[in-house]
Amino acid sequence: MRILNIIAQKPMSTGSGIYLTELVRVMAEQGHTQGVVAGVYKEDVVNLPDSAKFYPVYYNSPELPFNIFGMSDEMPYESSRYCDMTRDMEEKFKKAFLTVIERAVEEIKPDIILCHHLYLLTSLVRERYPRTKVYGFCHNTDIRQMGKHNLERDYIIENVRKLDRIFAPQKAQADEVVKAYGVEEDKITLVGIGYNQSIFNAVGRTEEKSVKRLLFTGKVAEKKGVMSLLRCLNKLDIPEDKLELTLVGGAGNEEEYGIIKELAKNCKYKVEFTGRLTPLQVADRYRSSDIFVLPSFFDAIPLVVIEALACGMKVVVTTLPGVPEFFANNAPEANIRYVKLPTLVNMDEPVKEELPEFEARLAKAIAESINDESKANADCVSKLSWENILKKVLE
């Protein structure tokens, strides 16, 4: 088939970017002709298969004289927020992307267009190409944008409803799509999420018996629960030289990052900040760590949890909507402990007064995982693959 993939932000950062990149990789392996339109900076290095033609849309350029608009308000790179988009910025955004997309469509002549995020750019594509098959992927952050402000709300809803099909990771997101956009249920296909089994596996796994190693991977930010994670560790009754934490990922914003650094200084256990790492480096960290902790306040199915399980780690994660059900159905043997979320306002902001109790629950789950002497089963997620997702999409 001839396929055009479109995303308004970087294709090599954050969960949705990795999702696109992995699908492109599998499509290339299967011999499909494809192009990729994505928003990047001129200095970015984009790793896509040689057979996939890349059509960059450059931010911080004369055409787009501002930072990338990120689907999260805080991205692991310099970014703008959709809630701050002015009419002038919107017009420049539309013109820059549609100019590049029109060239890509003319050259690729796609049978289908795959758009990531049920938001502004996907709506533009649907409107511009009414006779082409246009499918949209929900990545959860699009639903959050719809719930937090009113940028082009009616326009987005109208065009998302006109998509030929919508792919959602699981039923919890499908239900939210129905509620947010008024889409008919039978227009949504649940596709789950996959992982790259050639990178994330337990081959060569090592464990330090005398020290328990905790690992967090993601945006180092408050909404990912990092502040609560650092505070909760001081509640643990474990000798200071028997536990350490590694935080892998870029900063959400500099002010928050400074607070997190200060919390790390005041933590009684060793805390390492690695910054962003390559997938191969992340996999090595998984294989040399014991417990993966993701105390996030908002997420779909976190890919990092699947990757950590594939590398033989135990997991502690919050009760994100639909996540316990997803793993119960798709990885019933996974060694996962769930921590009940605090009450949230504005979709992803915890009620401050409930944080102490939440952090006590988090500390308890971590302690239970540390004291659990059973081995994690790295094969528990083996049926989750990008190949299976692509099969569902193309069907």
Side-chain angles (χ1 to χ4, degrees), residues 3 22 26 32 45 64 86 98 103 106 136 158 203 221 236 244 262 269 277 282 285 304 320 324-325 345:
I3 302 166
E22 288 293 341
V26 175
H32 298 285
V45 177
L64 286 180
T86 65
L98 287 177
R103 180 162 59 88
E106 185 177 334
E158 177 188 355
V203 176
L236 295 176
E244 56 188 50
E262 198 60 35
Y269 300 106
L277 300 178
V282 173
R285 292 283 181 158
V304 287
L320 298 161
E325 294 80 4
V345 294

Side-chain angles (χ1 to χ4, degrees), residues 274-307:
T274 69
R276 291 182 58 202
L277 300 178
T278 67
L280 287 170
Q281 290 170 326
V282 173
D284 286 340
R285 292 283 181 158
Y286 286 148
R287 283 190 283 266
S288 61
S289 301
D290 302 287
I291 301 164
F292 183 78
V293 187
L294 183 68
S296 181
F297 299 124
F298 189 92
D299 257 308
I301 305 168
L303 174 58
V304 287
V305 169
I306 297 173
E307 292 170 346

Side-chain angles (χ1 to χ4, degrees), residues 4 35 37 55 99-110:
L4 181 61
V37 175
Y55 297 88
T99 298
V100 174
I101 289 169
E102 285 170 2
R103 180 162 59 88
V105 168
E106 185 177 334
E107 293 179 3
I108 299 293
K109 296 179 175 54

Side-chain angles (χ1 to χ4, degrees), residues 170 301-302 305-306 309 317 320-338 380-381 383-384:
Q170 55 167 325
I301 305 168
V305 169
I306 297 173
L309 290 168
V317 65
L320 298 161
V323 167
E325 294 80 4
F326 175 83
F327 284 106
N329 292 329
N330 292 282
E333 297 177 5
N335 191 317
I336 303 179
R337 284 171 175 78
Y338 295 100
C380 66
V381 292
K383 71 175 184 178
L384 298 172

Side-chain angles (χ1 to χ4, degrees), residues 160-350:
V160 166
R161 285 176 177 173
K162 293 177 181 176
L163 290 170
D164 292 284
R165 182 146 294 276
I166 289 169
F167 301 111
Q170 55 167 325
K171 191 175 187 305
Q173 277 72 50
D175 291 343
E176 289 297 323
V177 168
V178 171
K179 190 190 308 181
Y181 304 92
V183 173
E184 298 169 0
E185 280 188 54
D186 61 5
K187 227 179 186 183
I188 304 171
T189 297
L190 305 183
V191 291
I193 194 166
Y195 73 100
N196 190 328
Q197 295 162 319
S198 67
I199 295 176
F200 298 99
N201 55 64
V203 176
R205 178 169 179 77
T206 59
E207 294 182 21
E208 172 60 59
K209 300 298 182 185
S210 62
V211 178
K212 288 294 181 181
R213 294 182 172 140
L214 308 182
L215 183 70
F216 165 91
T217 302
K219 189 164 38 184
V220 181
E222 181 180 22
K223 289 176 183 176
K224 288 290 186 179
V226 176
M227 293 185 187
S228 288
L229 172 57
L230 289 166
R231 285 192 292 262
C232 91
L233 292 185
N234 287 328
K235 301 178 185 290
L236 295 176
D237 185 23
I238 295 171
E240 294 183 15
D241 61 345
K242 299 298 182 185
L243 185 70
E244 56 188 50
L245 168 68
T246 300
L247 301 172
V248 176
N253 69 56
E254 290 307 316
E255 182 181 352
E256 270 190 18
Y257 199 63
I259 296 170
I260 288 168
K261 282 277 195 178
E262 198 60 35
L263 286 170
K265 284 181 187 176
N266 294 325
C267 183
K268 65 182 181 181
Y269 300 106
K270 177 185 173 184
V271 180
E272 179 189 6
F273 293 79
T274 69
R276 291 182 58 202
L277 300 178
T278 67
L280 287 170
Q281 290 170 326
V282 173
D284 286 340
R285 292 283 181 158
Y286 286 148
R287 283 190 283 266
S288 61
S289 301
D290 302 287
I291 301 164
F292 183 78
V293 187
L294 183 68
S296 181
F297 299 124
F298 189 92
D299 257 308
I301 305 168
L303 174 58
V304 287
V305 169
I306 297 173
E307 292 170 346
L309 290 168
C311 292
M313 295 188 74
K314 298 171 186 174
V315 169
V316 173
V317 65
T318 43
T319 52
L320 298 161
V323 167
E325 294 80 4
F326 175 83
F327 284 106
N329 292 329
N330 292 282
E333 297 177 5
N335 191 317
I336 303 179
R337 284 171 175 78
Y338 295 100
V339 181
K340 182 184 174 186
L341 282 164
T343 302
L344 302 175
V345 294
N346 295 325
M347 302 192 78
D348 58 5
E349 298 170 17

